[in-house]
Amino acid sequence: MKTLLLRRLAVLLPTLLLVSMMVFGLQKLLPGDPALALAGEERNPEVIEYLRHKYRFNEPIPVQYGIWLKALVHGDFGTSVRTRLPIGTMLAEKLPVTIELAILSMLVALFVGVPIGIVAALGRGTPLDYGASLFGLAGLSIPHFWLGIMMILLFSVNLGWLPAGGFVPPSESIGRNLISMLMPALVLGTGTAAIMMRHVRGAMIEAMKQDYVRTARAKGVRERTIVLRHALPNALIPVVTLGTLQFGELLAGAVLTEQVFSIPGFGKMVVDGVFSRDYAVVQAVVLCTAAVFLLMSLIADVAYVLLNPRLRS
Amino acid sequence: MKGIRMKRIGTALAAIVMIGSGLVSAGAATLRVGIQDDPDALDPALSGTYTGRFVFAALCDKLVDISPDLKIVPQLAESWDWAADGKSITFTLRKNVTFHDGTAFDAAAVKFNIERMKTMPDSKRKAELAPIVSVEALAADKVKFTLSEPFVPLLANLSDRAGMMVSPKAATEKAGELAAAPVCAGPYQFVERKSRDLIRVKKYPGYWNAGAVGYDEVVYYYVPDSTVRLSRVRAGDLELAERVAPTDLKTVRDDPNLTLHSGQGLAVSHLMFNVGAGAKADTPLGKNATLRQAFELAIDRNVINRVAFNGEFLADNQMIPPSSPFYDSAHKAPARDVAKAKALIAAAGMTRVPVELQYENAAGDSRVAQIMQSMAAEAGFDVKLLPMETTTAIERYLNGNFEAYIGNWSGRADPDPTLVAFFSCAGSQNVNKYCNKDLDAILTQARGEADEAKRKALYAKATDIYLSALSSIPLYHPNWFFAARKSVGGIVMVPDGLLRLVGVKPVN
């Protein structure tokens, strides 16, 4: 286990470096001069030239990359050229918000997807199963953006039960924080719940066919115990891997949900960063997402080993 | 048993609703405003966005302001005197005004601000202040600007960011931080900014007109989607949303809790043709004004307005909006005339005219482009659509790398900055390289003409010239739409579309 951890951690840094190089290189391929995007409507040539010089847009890409990397090693993510705000502070504000949203969505996915998956597997071929499949299909195909607006119209505008958007930090009030995150988490969790449901259903059907289930039945164990104690833990092993990887997806996929509910997460930060050619912002966000993603896959591997004794040797 | 469970669920739901409604009604004297974009740097010298100006309206008073009918009115300057030759202007400043850091606003502060905006390397105000040669503090409340040439539009320029005053102390001591935490002399002072989330300002007790400031606190929330912005006002967790989409106006009008505040704007959307910038000018439409006239006759501005904007904008053929006293009502937009358009094309010796239309890939421009494509086709124009991502589109536009381009200009309180920018030979927006010496002479004469009637006549002449050349076909002027809860009183719409907070107060 220790070797596995060390080996994976050793790969982490070079991978991040590679990701940063790729992002840096790719965004420089984008057409459109950031100095022009910054110069505003008047577009004074003198100002444009000054901005190019100030932010070193004129330098060769490897030099710009080197400057950026050097600052990063010293813990400096740079300053947003658009808003002149420090990117480190922006990340510190936004990363926890997006992570909270991803965790809550994952909880929604688990509490909705897993039970429906089990029910569908046990009632395979029955109307329950078809109902679950329909849920899965809908969950995967309904766009988050549309679902979000519909929920706002129903729960906020018509019923007045929930706030239509905005974010309350947990430091201000945990209750209001959870209420402000309820709809976004439901919306973002729907897709993952559908994926979970399909995997749990498949894994459960597989597990119920295994010898140990037959043996348990032969010994007269109650069906409920067979399902919950024998089949489910085995069926959940792939779900753990899936869950951790989906968590990364949730981080990346939060953009639209954040936009609909005006949640100040970092999904939107990267999109705006690309459009205004605010390279340092894009760079920082992508690097953070990649780091979280790599960390999650590391956790997935560890969890897999812990859950499956056969892999421990 | 079942009854008890239902009761528990009911209690839990009620608790959620109570906590939720606590969120909704938090802070009685707070005005929560939904804004469409996240402002850029909050320094008047550096700002380049409409949303930035929208927030500055709370923070930074200007030397002068504009009224709803586009007249220049006092703000930090109580009055002003032009020299007889029009080459200098002396302002008398309001007394007992302080910046948010408590320092005094006086002639020295004005001198500092104008010089700062003229010399800061990345200042975006250089062009607007270019005619000012020197600033002299005559007394604590008297300041004189000496100009290189008579320049009447200066006052209009000073009614925007160029006239906003920041604290010299803050700008010197915290130069690097000013854009993140501005210190001005407006009704509200800066509290905090969470990037892409909110900007919070609170009432400045030392404001010179503090009695007219109705809210203790204003929070600007960044809510990019207009439908969501409106939904949040309807749900009551915002009091006001700016820039409501024309398609959502019916919802606002039908909601008994809301008031729609609308007003004519200064902005214009126009179709620019490349008539002289490089290879892309070498097209039938780029070379032949008759074909451009045919194009104008082939499209119906009213249809564009009706289909793309529910008829809520203002279809028009001039760069200057009808809200301006300099609008020339003699130049009416021609009605659509396909037969005449065809005849003009035939007179130019052609049957089908190819044109490549470039635009920023946003919903409004895309719809306008598609509608024009289908209307122009009936007259004989084969319009090829070229939608582009914004930054790329802007770069191509600035390099004159287009045949035809849908341009969106935010407009100015005075005609000069718009007409000079687009139609003078050296204009900053003259990227399609249109040049007419007569028009140049008229525009130069107009900026030095103090008499409004004479100035109006000069702009009428200018309009005549640019509408004959049609290097650009103005299409429509967007209007401003704010949706506000009925509880917000005192909103006055001004053509620059900014929410002025003095006088805005909660009503029952």
Side-chain angles (χ1 to χ4, degrees):
Chain A
M1 178 62 93
K2 210 167 149 189
T3 355
L4 172 84
L5 270 177
L6 284 175
R7 212 169 53 216
R8 291 300 303 268
L9 280 173
V11 182
L12 202 80
L13 267 183
T15 313
L16 280 179
L17 204 66
L18 204 70
V19 168
S20 74
M21 277 183 195
M22 278 175 64
V23 178
F24 207 88
L26 284 175
Q27 61 179 354
K28 295 285 173 188
L29 288 180
L30 283 173
D33 183 343
L36 288 183
L38 277 176
E41 209 172 45
E42 295 288 349
R43 295 177 188 122
N44 183 331
E46 230 177 275
V47 174
I48 292 171
E49 201 41 51
Y50 171 81
L51 289 170
R52 272 194 199 123
H53 182 75
K54 182 177 176 185
Y55 295 108
R56 311 183 86 148
F57 296 140
N58 283 334
E59 309 261 9
I61 295 169
V63 175
Q64 291 186 42
Y65 179 73
I67 295 167
W68 174 80
L69 199 64
K70 195 176 155 198
L72 190 68
V73 170
H74 292 93
D76 178 12
F77 280 97
T79 310
S80 156
V81 291
R82 208 179 80 82
T83 59
R84 318 273 167 133
L85 298 174
I87 295 169
T89 318
M90 284 162 81
L91 284 177
E93 274 169 16
K94 306 207 177 322
L95 190 59
V97 178
T98 302
I99 288 181
E100 188 196 343
L101 179 59
I103 290 175
L104 292 176
S105 309
M106 186 49 80
L107 288 177
V108 168
L110 285 173
F111 282 107
V112 175
V114 172
I116 296 182
I118 295 172
V119 170
L122 297 180
R124 195 176 169 193
T126 64
L128 268 180
D129 188 17
Y130 293 125
S133 295
L134 197 69
F135 164 78
L137 199 67
L140 283 175
S141 43
I142 291 176
H144 289 169
F145 197 81
W146 182 83
L147 186 61
I149 291 183
M150 289 301 122
M151 283 179 85
I152 290 178
L153 287 178
L154 178 63
F155 294 113
S156 308
V157 178
N158 289 330
L159 297 171
W161 289 359
L162 294 166
F167 173 75
V168 181
S171 57
E172 213 170 277
S173 155
I174 291 183
R176 282 168 54 201
N177 167 265
L178 289 176
I179 284 176
S180 71
M181 287 299 232
L182 187 61
M183 280 201 290
L186 280 172
V187 167
L188 189 57
T190 327
T192 313
I195 296 172
M196 286 273 177
M197 187 279 287
R198 292 168 86 134
H199 272 81
V200 170
R201 179 181 175 274
M204 211 46 201
I205 288 171
E206 204 51 44
M208 293 300 281
K209 285 187 203 152
Q210 296 299 316
D211 291 348
Y212 58 80
V213 169
R214 199 179 52 214
T215 312
R217 277 212 184 101
K219 287 202 295 189
V221 180
R222 278 194 310 167
E223 191 63 20
R224 191 173 146 160
T225 315
I226 292 174
V227 171
L228 294 178
R229 291 271 173 80
H230 297 258
L232 187 61
N234 289 296
L236 284 184
I237 294 174
V239 172
V240 172
T241 328
L242 179 78
T244 40
L245 290 178
Q246 277 294 316
F247 188 79
E249 293 281 328
L250 285 178
L251 277 186
V255 184
L256 286 179
T257 311
E258 285 174 8
Q259 170 135 347
V260 173
F261 292 99
S262 335
I263 305 268
F266 76 4
K268 186 79 176 69
M269 205 167 138
V270 73
V271 177
D272 290 353
V274 170
F275 283 133
S276 55
R277 302 292 187 268
D278 205 341
Y279 293 144
V281 170
V282 180
Q283 194 64 11
V285 175
V286 173
L287 204 66
C288 278
T289 317
V292 174
F293 207 97
L294 289 171
L295 218 60
M296 290 315 292
S297 73
L298 175 69
I299 294 172
D301 287 354
V302 173
Y304 208 74
V305 173
L306 289 177
L307 287 171
N308 192 345
R310 277 176 296 186
L311 290 174
R312 274 179 223 169
S313 51
Chain B
M1 188 68 185
K2 201 174 177 183
I4 294 173
R5 193 185 291 163
M6 285 307 288
K7 210 171 161 186
R8 274 189 195 152
I9 293 172
T11 316
L13 271 176
I16 291 174
V17 171
M18 275 167 68
I19 305 171
S21 60
L23 188 72
V24 166
S25 65
T30 298
L31 180 70
R32 291 160 300 181
V33 180
I35 51 178
Q36 180 173 298
D37 306 300
D38 185 35
D40 56 347
L42 287 180
D43 179 338
L46 302 175
S47 160
T49 55
Y50 162 74
T51 321
R53 295 165 65 205
F54 195 87
V55 173
F56 280 133
L59 292 167
C60 304
D61 269 10
K62 307 159 285 190
L63 286 178
V64 293
D65 199 4
I66 52 168
S67 63
D69 56 354
L70 287 177
K71 294 270 189 297
I72 304 290
V73 292
Q75 199 167 47
L76 288 177
E78 278 182 327
S79 60
W80 46 91
D81 266 322
W82 281 102
D85 64 356
K87 288 177 85 171
S88 73
I89 181 169
T90 305
F91 291 94
T92 304
L93 306 176
R94 197 176 289 284
K95 290 170 201 70
N96 301 320
V97 174
T98 52
F99 290 106
H100 299 149
D101 57 3
T103 55
F105 163 77
D106 54 15
V110 176
K111 182 177 162 67
F112 173 90
N113 270 281
I114 300 295
E115 284 170 359
R116 174 175 183 265
M117 289 199 253
K118 276 181 74 75
T119 53
M120 236 169 100
D122 44 354
S123 164
K124 289 180 183 148
R125 306 282 86 83
K126 288 180 181 174
E128 293 154 47
L129 299 173
I132 300 176
V133 181
S134 66
V135 183
E136 198 182 338
L138 301 175
D141 64 341
K142 284 249 186 301
V143 63
K144 182 181 169 190
F145 293 5
T146 305
L147 313 182
S148 56
E149 54 179 330
F151 191 73
V152 179
L154 179 71
L155 284 174
N157 288 355
L158 293 174
S159 73
D160 194 356
R161 288 157 297 195
M164 285 178 192
M165 299 287 122
V166 301
S167 153
K169 182 170 177 263
T172 314
E173 289 171 8
K174 296 176 189 166
E177 296 161 37
L178 194 76
V183 182
C184 292
Y188 289 87
Q189 65 188 107
F190 180 82
V191 178
E192 64 167 337
R193 173 176 190 178
K194 289 182 179 161
S195 159
R196 285 156 220 275
D197 182 10
L198 59 86
I199 293 171
R200 192 186 305 275
V201 300
K202 66 170 185 203
K203 185 176 171 176
Y204 174 53
Y207 183 58
W208 58 271
N209 193 9
V213 179
Y215 285 92
D216 299 324
E217 186 186 57
V218 181
V219 190
Y220 297 93
Y221 290 95
Y222 166 46
V223 187
D225 187 86
S226 75
T227 306
V228 175
R229 216 159 46 242
L230 176 59
S231 300
R232 290 186 61 180
V233 178
R234 293 176 68 201
D237 68 357
L238 293 179
E239 273 80 35
L240 189 144
E242 57 110 356
R243 277 183 280 175
V244 176
T247 40
D248 283 336
L249 294 181
K250 188 179 179 310
T251 314
V252 184
R253 290 181 180 123
D254 290 351
D255 192 324
N257 298 313
L258 304 186
T259 309
L260 177 70
H261 299 271
S262 58
Q264 285 191 6
L266 298 171
V268 62
S269 286
H270 57 134
L271 178 63
M272 283 179 98
F273 292 102
N274 187 347
V275 294
K280 294 256 179 176
D282 192 19
T283 61
L285 277 162
K287 288 188 293 192
N288 193 337
T290 310
L291 288 175
R292 296 197 290 273
Q293 276 157 9
F295 196 95
E296 188 188 28
L297 289 169
I299 57 170
D300 187 332
R301 293 174 170 92
N302 292 313
V303 169
I304 295 174
N305 184 28
R306 212 161 48 234
V307 178
F309 308 110
N310 274 15
E312 301 281 3
F313 285 173
L314 197 71
D316 184 48
N317 66 331
Q318 293 179 38
M319 295 296 280
I320 304 302
S323 56
S324 165
F326 296 101
Y327 181 77
D328 184 21
S329 45
H331 285 93
K332 293 264 181 272
R336 186 176 190 228
D337 191 339
V338 178
K340 197 170 167 196
K342 279 183 178 164
L344 288 175
I345 293 173
M350 297 186 79
T351 44
R352 302 297 301 176
V353 186
V355 51
E356 188 183 79
L357 174 57
Q358 189 179 309
Y359 53 94
E360 289 172 40
N361 196 7
D365 285 352
S366 301
R367 280 198 294 262
V368 171
Q370 287 157 12
I371 299 163
M372 286 202 294
Q373 181 188 43
S374 97
M375 285 192 291
E378 287 176 33
F381 292 96
D382 295 319
V383 182
K384 186 179 148 202
L385 300 182
L386 201 62
M388 293 250 163
E389 180 259 338
T390 304
T391 312
T392 314
I394 290 173
E395 182 170 33
R396 289 175 66 119
Y397 163 79
L398 287 177
N399 292 326
N401 185 9
F402 62 89
E403 286 183 19
Y405 186 88
I406 299 182
N408 298 299
W409 175 249
S410 65
R412 299 289 184 267
D414 189 275
D416 179 81
T418 299
L419 297 182
V420 169
F422 286 97
F423 299 118
S424 93
C425 299
S428 61
Q429 300 292 320
N430 190 347
V431 293
N432 53 343
K433 300 291 172 213
Y434 166 73
C435 186
N436 179 324
K437 296 289 178 204
D438 295 340
L439 182 56
D440 256 19
I442 292 170
L443 292 175
T444 309
Q445 202 187 336
R447 57 165 51 165
E449 180 55 67
D451 185 291
E452 195 175 306
K454 285 185 190 159
R455 229 179 145 213
K456 197 174 169 186
L458 286 168
Y459 284 127
K461 268 196 213 169
T463 309
D464 198 36
I465 297 176
Y466 81 72
L467 287 185
S468 318
L470 281 182
S471 60
S472 201
I473 301 179
L475 300 170
Y476 64 91
H477 301 286
N479 288 330
W480 296 111
F481 301 109
F482 295 172
R485 307 236 10 127
K486 282 239 156 64
S487 58
V488 186
I491 294 174
V492 176
M493 298 299 286
V494 179
D496 61 10
L498 307 181
L499 174 67
R500 283 160 176 76
L501 289 163
V502 172
V504 174
K505 53 183 182 294
V507 289
N508 291 323

